[in-house]
Amino acid sequence: NSICAPRFKMASKPNDWIKSMKVAARTMRSENLTPTKLLQRKFWEGFHPYLSQNSKIVSPQSPRAQHWMNLALGRTNIHHKITMNTRDKLVSSSIIIKTENRLALFNQLQDEKETIESELGFELEWHELLEKKESIVAINHHCDTKDESQWPEMYAWLTEKLEAMQKTFGPRLRK
């Protein structure tokens, strides 16, 4: 004893056209990539599932054909950046500060340098960069980024540094 409901007939069904267009676009983009960009994308395509499986506190972004990957740190204009640099043969984990008061925030963190590095268990490079719009706190790991057999070690190193830096810097930067 309820009100009659309208009956809808499907006028069209989803087809594979959109899916095929996405595949075609991806293929076209891949054809225009340099060997270095293809290698970078392959590196991040391997790192993405590694990080997803091995970290409970860091969520990766979608892999792209670029030398970096950005990760949220819980505050606008501050993020965690990891890089895979084939030219300088290194991977790195960095905190990037781009806020309006970045110099004050950077100096506040640098005042805690000894405590922060003690908590982390490793030393960092501190770059105030007065002439730029960002300040950077980083750690680098020199390795042969083109040697795919070393990638699992690089993934482990990046994950370890990401987690440690997220735990140490996150609460300080969210204040």
Side-chain angles (χ1 to χ4, degrees), residues 36-136:
T36 299
K37 291 291 179 196
L38 289 169
L39 185 72
Q40 291 166 343
R41 184 175 66 194
K42 188 174 181 181
F43 180 85
W44 297 122
E45 286 172 346
F47 181 70
H48 188 278
Y50 180 92
L51 187 62
S52 296
Q53 292 171 355
N54 294 286
S55 176
K56 291 183 173 57
I57 64 169
V58 182
S59 300
Q61 71 177 37
S62 297
R64 293 196 172 96
Q66 57 195 24
H67 72 278
W68 76 93
M69 180 181 281
N70 290 332
L71 302 128
L73 199 54
R75 186 165 165 194
T76 305
N77 295 324
I78 300 175
H79 64 272
H80 208 135
K81 177 180 179 180
I82 51 176
T83 61
M84 183 266 216
N85 188 322
T86 54
R87 185 190 64 211
D88 296 336
K89 296 184 177 182
L90 60 85
V91 290
S92 66
S93 178
S94 309
I95 303 297
I96 310 295
I97 306 167
K98 292 184 174 186
T99 59
E100 284 185 29
N101 66 336
R102 73 172 174 84
L103 296 176
L105 183 55
F106 178 85
N107 289 325
Q108 186 179 6
L109 291 170
Q110 199 166 30
D111 288 345
E112 292 187 71
K113 178 180 175 179
E114 285 184 32
T115 304
I116 289 170
E117 291 180 348
S118 175
E119 287 175 23
L120 290 169
F122 52 85
E123 291 183 8
L124 298 164
E125 295 178 16
W126 298 77
H127 305 282
E128 190 173 23
L129 304 175
L130 294 171
E131 69 286 355
K132 304 271 183 171
K133 293 183 178 182
E134 64 184 29
S135 295
I136 302 169

